[in-house]
Amino acid sequence: MIHNFYAGPSIISAALLEEAATQIISRDELLSVIEISHRSKRFGDIVDELHHLTRELLALNDDHEVCYLQGGGRQQFFQIPQNFSQVFKTNYYVDTGNWANGAMKEARFFGNTEELASSKENGYRHIPNWKDDPEDAAYIYTCTNNTIYGTQFFETPKTNSHLVADMSSDLFGISRDFNAYGLFYAATQKNAGTAGACLVVVDKKMFNKPEGSVPTMIDYRTHINKKSLYNTPPVFAFVMSLLVLKWIKEKGGITYFDAANREKASLLYGELERNELFEPYANKEDRSVMNAVFTAKNEQIEKHFLDRAAKENIVGIKGHRNIGGFRASMYNALPIESVQVLVDVMQEFERTQG
Ligand SMILES: *Cc1c(COP(=O)(O)O)cnc(C)c1O
């Protein structure tokens, strides 16, 4: 068994991969689902179910609309400000690392953009607070789980403005009040399928520009009105997302994964606090349950530990180039047994190297 800790694209349950293979090869009326018109009833049913299940798992209210788009996460960096910037308002960003920071840069193309808070000064080890709720906000942008630095918002920020969130790396992995958000999105390659699509949920109250004033492909209303079928969608990615969402529901929904993910995270962070050779990167109260970032106290041993881990079929734990060290991503499909194997290797490594 391979223990897949990759940050993204990331682990998908083996049973689902088999199911996907069967579905792709299975030729209803002699054709595969990915070689027929996206306007066919057969594909339309897949998209309907995908939307329906998304709403159900997230417990969305009637104000919130769902669409699946292309362009991955980064398209949202510009699509959000292009839809929602306003002349006499400001786009506010909470800078919690590369992802939020990259989004803030793109927003400057479309309107007045300011940093509301940042944790840059301590290397993004925590989720920053901010004092006043700005009155002139077009929206306040956050990234709920910072995949690179391993920090996570556990509380929904309180604001009277529209709250926007990049949930690419924790959607479907942790419980939240999703209706509190004006817009949130997740590229599908972490907990929601494979690469190629991006789920966007928008509160209708966000829209303030006349239709036709934003390019058709960029206007979220185009995709909402056409139920994610305005143009040819990434059909395979949609099929995968539906499989993954059905599996999430079968297991017990987000509540189930919230508990399972916290258990995996506490097993690993517990060891990181105990083990003499390693230390967790982020401040305790903001440590991500999805991506645990850690370093070796002595950098010299990092290469040895990677080699040792590789011998146990642990893959994907090399840290992001910004921080070095290690990152163990523990998405929904990663079993706790894999985390236990990692912990065992750390303990053995401490005995032999220490
Ligand atoms: C993975 C990830 C993305 C994905 O962006 P792509 O453009 O699809 O590569 C965006 N935001 C966060 C926080 C992520 O972890």
Side-chain angles (χ1 to χ4, degrees), residues 7-9 71-77 98-100 141 143-148 166-170 185-190 195-198 291 327 331:
R74 275 181 196 266
Q75 173 157 318
Q76 297 310 309
F77 290 10
N98 289 38
W99 293 107
Y141 183 105
C143 179
T144 52
N145 185 66
N146 297 282
T147 326
I148 294 174
D166 175 355
M167 300 191 185
S168 289
S169 53
D170 72 3
Y185 69 90
T188 48
Q189 64 265 30
K190 275 96 182 206
C198 183
N291 314 90
R327 169 172 55 177
Y331 295 117

Side-chain angles (χ1 to χ4, degrees), residues 149-283:
Y149 296 94
T151 61
Q152 191 168 20
F153 279 83
F154 292 103
E155 309 256 328
T156 306
K158 293 213 167 27
T159 174
N160 293 317
S161 307
H162 296 300
L163 194 57
V164 167
D166 175 355
M167 300 191 185
S168 289
S169 53
D170 72 3
L171 190 65
F172 299 118
I174 190 162
S175 304
R176 292 188 187 283
D177 174 9
F178 297 102
N179 291 313
Y181 289 82
L183 181 150
F184 59 93
Y185 69 90
T188 48
Q189 64 265 30
K190 275 96 182 206
N191 277 329
T194 189
C198 183
L199 163 60
V200 183
V201 176
V202 199
D203 185 335
K204 282 184 275 207
K205 296 195 288 293
M206 289 282 287
F207 295 111
N208 55 67
K209 294 186 185 173
E211 278 188 62
S213 63
V214 179
T216 316
M217 215 15 216
I218 295 297
D219 195 325
Y220 291 111
R221 288 168 294 196
T222 305
H223 302 281
I224 290 165
N225 294 339
K226 297 286 182 186
K227 299 208 164 119
S228 308
L229 292 173
Y230 170 66
N231 68 326
T232 317
V235 289
F236 179 65
F238 280 22
V239 168
M240 280 309 304
S241 285
L242 178 55
L243 280 175
V244 169
L245 264 50
K246 279 178 162 170
W247 170 81
I248 291 175
K249 182 178 169 179
E250 240 170 65
K251 291 270 177 189
I254 295 178
T255 325
Y256 169 83
F257 284 105
D258 180 287
N261 290 334
R262 284 176 201 267
E263 198 184 337
K264 288 183 275 178
S266 74
L267 175 60
L268 181 54
Y269 285 120
E271 176 59 20
L272 285 169
E273 297 215 321
R274 191 207 58 77
N275 197 303
E276 296 289 333
L277 300 181
F278 301 97
E279 57 193 342
Y281 182 78
N283 292 0

